[in-house]
Amino acid sequence: MSKIVLITGASSGIGAACAEIFASNHYDLVLAARRKEKLEVLASDLKARFGVQVLNVELDVRDAEAVAAKLNALPDNWKKIDVLVNNAGLSQGLDPIHEGNLNDWDTMIDTNVKGLLYVTRLISPWMVQQQSGHIVNIGSIAGKETYANGNVYCASKHAVDSLNKAMRIDLLPHGIKVSGIHPGAVETEFSEVRFKGDKERAKAVYQGFEPLLAADIADAVWYAVSRPAHVNVNDLVIMPTAQANTSHLLRK
Ligand code: NDP
Ligand code: 8X3
């Protein structure tokens, strides 16, 4: 019986790269995101290349009822989740606090914090029951530092950092590992989403330096998950070599 990983936000970027690295290591996959057509393309590719089984779940992590209904509806043999990658997340806007857009704030908090909680609340009892499992939370350098106009996105990722620590304490008696992976700039759809489809503005974010690739972060997730049973990676902060922190980025 293969191990099973559930990845949220698997339709793009870091989540899709995680799906690939887990598939290449013979995990069966539960892939969740809102864009089902993207999941379908990815699933077909991974099934063909790696011979793994894939279940796609069209899911908006902000919808607590849908999270419960759709994950509870997984077939029983798919509920033995070995690894949960809480990756679904986004930024919306880049405005000073006094000009912030309330809808953007709600979207970020609902997705990055509450969505992560809803999924964890559903899956972690199954892990407690089996007395094993590994939860990997995708945080951010924005959860370790703050930067100009990053206010609410940074706050949401600080919440992820805090929940990462809290989960590790609460799940300690149950043999469940909890790891936080905190990337700097990774070239994905992230900036296009932040700037609401403005491709030019998004492209400029990654110009003049070599950003991380989604595969670099998937590699770190796999490193954390593939340690021996007695080893847990609590926290990894991974940056492009050209980025010292959120405010020092060397562009050529
Ligand atoms: P992408 O925009 O490429 O991917 C984001 C993923 O999250 C998509 O699959 C998207 O799927 C999913 N998602 C967003 N909202 C929801 C929702 N409500 N319900 C379900 N899924 C959702 O960006 P990244 O791959 O870069 O982002 C992945 C994670 O990494 C995020 O948590 C982000 O904050 C974090 N991160 C990114 C960094 C970067 O520089 N790119 C750096 C540090 C952290 P869909 O739209 O189909 O629902
Ligand atoms: C994404 C990285 O620096 O844009 O989490 O916040 S940053």
Short mmCIF file of all heavy atoms in Angstrom, two decimals, residues 140-142 147 153 183-184 190 194 246, ligand 2:
data_model
loop_
_atom_site.label_atom_id
_atom_site.label_comp_id
_atom_site.label_asym_id
_atom_site.label_seq_id
_atom_site.Cartn_x
_atom_site.Cartn_y
_atom_site.Cartn_z
N SER A 140 6.27 31.53 5.04
CA SER A 140 6.94 32.49 4.15
C SER A 140 7.97 33.25 4.95
O SER A 140 7.86 33.38 6.18
CB SER A 140 5.92 33.47 3.58
OG SER A 140 6.57 34.53 2.88
N ILE A 141 8.94 33.82 4.25
CA ILE A 141 9.81 34.80 4.91
C ILE A 141 8.94 35.95 5.45
O ILE A 141 9.29 36.59 6.45
CB ILE A 141 10.92 35.31 3.94
CG1 ILE A 141 11.95 36.18 4.67
CG2 ILE A 141 10.33 36.07 2.75
CD1 ILE A 141 12.75 35.47 5.71
N ALA A 142 7.76 36.13 4.82
CA ALA A 142 6.81 37.16 5.30
C ALA A 142 6.19 36.77 6.64
O ALA A 142 5.52 37.59 7.27
CB ALA A 142 5.71 37.38 4.26
N TYR A 147 7.45 43.68 5.75
CA TYR A 147 8.02 44.62 4.78
C TYR A 147 6.97 45.66 4.42
O TYR A 147 5.77 45.46 4.66
CB TYR A 147 8.57 43.89 3.55
CG TYR A 147 7.58 42.97 2.85
CD1 TYR A 147 6.72 43.43 1.86
CD2 TYR A 147 7.54 41.62 3.18
CE1 TYR A 147 5.84 42.58 1.22
CE2 TYR A 147 6.66 40.75 2.55
CZ TYR A 147 5.81 41.24 1.57
OH TYR A 147 4.94 40.39 0.94
N TYR A 153 -0.72 40.42 4.58
CA TYR A 153 -0.12 39.16 4.11
C TYR A 153 0.92 38.69 5.13
O TYR A 153 0.93 37.51 5.52
CB TYR A 153 0.52 39.33 2.73
CG TYR A 153 1.19 38.05 2.25
CD1 TYR A 153 0.42 36.93 1.92
CD2 TYR A 153 2.57 37.95 2.17
CE1 TYR A 153 1.03 35.74 1.52
CE2 TYR A 153 3.18 36.76 1.77
CZ TYR A 153 2.41 35.67 1.44
OH TYR A 153 3.00 34.49 1.06
N PRO A 183 9.60 30.07 2.38
CA PRO A 183 10.39 30.55 1.24
C PRO A 183 10.47 32.07 1.14
O PRO A 183 9.55 32.79 1.56
CB PRO A 183 9.62 30.01 0.02
CG PRO A 183 8.52 29.13 0.55
CD PRO A 183 8.29 29.56 1.97
N GLY A 184 11.56 32.53 0.52
CA GLY A 184 11.62 33.89 0.00
C GLY A 184 10.98 33.90 -1.38
O GLY A 184 10.06 33.11 -1.65
N PHE A 190 2.17 33.50 -7.94
CA PHE A 190 1.94 34.29 -6.72
C PHE A 190 1.78 35.80 -6.99
O PHE A 190 0.81 36.42 -6.53
CB PHE A 190 3.10 34.04 -5.74
CG PHE A 190 3.03 34.82 -4.47
CD1 PHE A 190 2.28 34.38 -3.40
CD2 PHE A 190 3.71 36.04 -4.33
CE1 PHE A 190 2.21 35.11 -2.21
CE2 PHE A 190 3.65 36.77 -3.17
CZ PHE A 190 2.90 36.31 -2.10
N ARG A 194 -1.29 38.32 -6.67
CA ARG A 194 -1.22 39.50 -5.79
C ARG A 194 -1.65 40.76 -6.55
O ARG A 194 -2.38 41.59 -6.02
CB ARG A 194 0.22 39.66 -5.26
CG ARG A 194 0.47 41.01 -4.64
CD ARG A 194 1.81 41.10 -3.93
NE ARG A 194 1.62 40.98 -2.50
CZ ARG A 194 2.59 40.89 -1.60
NH1 ARG A 194 3.84 40.87 -1.97
NH2 ARG A 194 2.32 40.81 -0.32
N THR A 246 13.55 40.27 3.44
CA THR A 246 12.47 40.82 2.61
C THR A 246 12.83 42.17 2.00
O THR A 246 12.23 42.58 1.01
CB THR A 246 11.16 40.97 3.41
OG1 THR A 246 11.44 41.72 4.58
CG2 THR A 246 10.55 39.63 3.76
C1 8X3 B 2 5.90 35.47 -0.58
C2 8X3 B 2 7.22 36.14 -0.44
O1 8X3 B 2 8.40 38.32 0.18
O2 8X3 B 2 6.56 38.44 -1.42
O3 8X3 B 2 5.48 34.92 0.63
O4 8X3 B 2 6.13 38.09 0.89
S1 8X3 B 2 7.06 37.82 -0.18
#
